[in-house]
Amino acid sequence: MLLEVVELLGIFLGISFLSILPPENQYVEYIPGNTNLIFSVPHDGNINLTSIPVRKNGCKDSEGVCIYPGKDDCDPEKICKVIIGADLNAKDIARTVFNKYVENTGKTPHLIISHLHRSMLDPNRPVEQAAQGNDEAIAAYEAFHGSIKHAHEALDGNHGLHIDFHGYTDVYRQNNTMIGYLFNSKELNSENIDITKSSIQSLINRTGLPVEQFLYGDESLGSMFESAGYKAVPSPRQPYPGKDKYYRGGWITQIHGSRDGGVIDAIQLEFPTEIRTEATDEERHTFGVKLAKNIERFQSLYYASNNFF
């Protein structure tokens, strides 16, 4: 009823009020904020439903397009791999960062969390792969990304920073937090950096600083990780991935950052298992506390605004 009244009022005044109301879904948590920081956690949900089938690998059609879910008899060379493992404790780290930031600054970041298990829904993929045609999963997907859109719109055209919290299985024991700006390993290793590909393109253009400053300069996020006692790549210690495993940033960073325009940048953080699942609760909490301080400092350096900070 309230939504209908809002819509009618909007029609009467010639104004759209729909973006004022955040989407609602029982499997998506959204805490609206009052600063120009947005946190998202797409892969640490723990809800499994019988009404949503487990996501399956896709299969390429005759034109090489991945179709989801794929056929059981798909040619092995045409399989489009789907990942269904959760990023355990990424949500806990994000909540620690969120709570400590609020305690330190008195401001509240926007926080969006998907509570469906990744085997049911992967919000960090295009919807065809993420929900695989299931209506319930699609509704949760749309609510997750709609909440991000609502948070971005709340900044009212001011610049901001979106941080996407993830985790990876550290098979090679790198113990690095991977900081993703949408530059892949080859680009970073060759130092062939095209800023138009970056999810922080707005920041680079707005400040006029060289991209290297943000990747591994003294006041880069990687430098702040290292100063806090945690390895990161890229950073002054390790400017390039080299032969190490590295994730450049996924769908959320691609579509909600500034690569394709806009003034809100996005950075993906991939935490290793050493921090997420092998550390004690106290050690993981300490990591989150230090990360909150680093994000606060990064924000004060590059995203200070009279409206939000």
Side-chain angles (χ1 to χ4, degrees):
M1 181 65 182
L2 177 59
L3 180 58
E4 292 174 356
V5 171
V6 170
E7 289 186 52
L8 288 173
L9 181 60
I11 293 171
F12 178 75
L13 296 177
I15 300 171
S16 174
F17 283 87
L18 291 180
S19 62
I20 295 175
L21 300 174
E24 294 185 5
N25 185 281
Q26 61 182 319
Y27 307 120
V28 176
E29 178 181 353
Y30 174 36
I31 300 176
N34 57 14
T35 189
N36 57 350
L37 275 178
I38 302 98
F39 298 157
S40 58
V41 189
H43 289 164
D44 195 16
N46 55 12
I47 296 177
N48 290 280
L49 303 173
T50 57
S51 54
I52 301 178
V54 173
R55 296 166 54 245
K56 296 174 59 177
N57 289 336
C59 187
K60 293 180 181 178
D61 63 15
S62 59
E63 297 181 355
V65 177
C66 292
I67 305 299
Y68 299 94
K71 303 179 295 183
D72 291 336
D73 60 349
C74 181
D75 184 330
E77 294 184 359
K78 294 185 177 181
I79 290 176
C80 307
K81 183 70 175 177
V82 164
I83 300 172
I84 62 174
D87 294 350
L88 295 177
N89 293 325
K91 178 172 57 184
D92 295 344
I93 293 171
R95 286 197 191 280
T96 298
V97 173
F98 176 90
N99 291 332
K100 193 63 181 178
Y101 181 92
V102 172
E103 179 184 329
N104 289 344
T105 69
K107 297 287 187 178
T108 304
H110 300 261
L111 177 64
I112 302 102
I113 300 174
S114 173
H115 287 293
L116 283 176
H117 192 273
R118 191 178 183 182
S119 61
M120 308 279 104
L121 175 69
D122 186 345
N124 199 35
R125 299 291 188 275
V127 66
E128 296 81 8
Q129 182 184 161
Q132 302 203 351
N134 180 273
D135 290 341
E136 199 169 5
I138 291 172
Y141 181 93
E142 291 177 345
F144 182 89
H145 286 278
S147 296
I148 291 176
K149 182 180 179 181
H150 184 274
H152 285 209
E153 289 178 347
L155 272 57
D156 197 26
N158 291 281
H159 53 261
L161 176 62
H162 183 142
I163 298 179
D164 198 30
F165 290 73
H166 289 263
Y168 70 97
T169 302
D170 193 7
V171 176
Y172 301 106
R173 313 305 292 175
Q174 299 169 192
N175 198 16
N176 271 331
T177 291
M178 303 174 187
I179 307 176
Y181 307 98
L182 297 185
F183 301 122
N184 61 35
S185 294
K186 183 178 180 180
E187 291 165 337
L188 291 173
N189 289 339
S190 67
E191 300 184 67
N192 182 23
I193 305 298
D194 179 358
I195 66 170
T196 65
K197 296 181 178 180
S198 178
S199 58
I200 60 167
Q201 183 178 177
S202 175
L203 174 62
I204 298 167
N205 291 333
R206 174 167 53 83
T207 62
L209 295 172
V211 64
E212 292 80 8
Q213 170 64 32
F214 299 111
L215 296 179
Y216 46 78
D218 291 339
E219 293 183 329
S220 64
L221 197 54
S223 177
M224 295 177 192
F225 267 91
E226 297 275 340
S227 296
Y230 301 98
K231 294 166 64 178
V233 60
S235 66
R237 178 192 59 82
Q238 187 177 357
Y240 325 113
K243 295 182 179 180
D244 283 356
K245 184 178 182 180
Y246 178 74
Y247 294 130
R248 69 186 185 105
W251 184 243
I252 291 169
T253 308
Q254 293 168 35
I255 67 171
H256 294 298
S258 61
R259 181 190 65 178
D260 300 323
V263 295
I264 299 177
D265 303 298
I267 297 173
Q268 178 174 295
L269 297 181
E270 285 272 358
F271 309 119
T273 43
E274 287 88 343
I275 290 171
R276 293 184 300 108
T277 60
E278 296 174 11
T280 64
D281 291 346
E282 182 179 357
E283 290 169 337
R284 189 167 55 251
H285 178 80
T286 298
F287 173 80
V289 168
K290 292 183 177 180
L291 178 54
K293 194 64 181 176
N294 286 341
I295 291 173
E296 181 186 343
R297 181 183 169 200
F298 193 81
Q299 181 192 27
S300 68
L301 283 171
Y302 304 119
Y303 296 91
S305 166
N306 292 332
N307 294 328
F308 296 103
F309 189 75

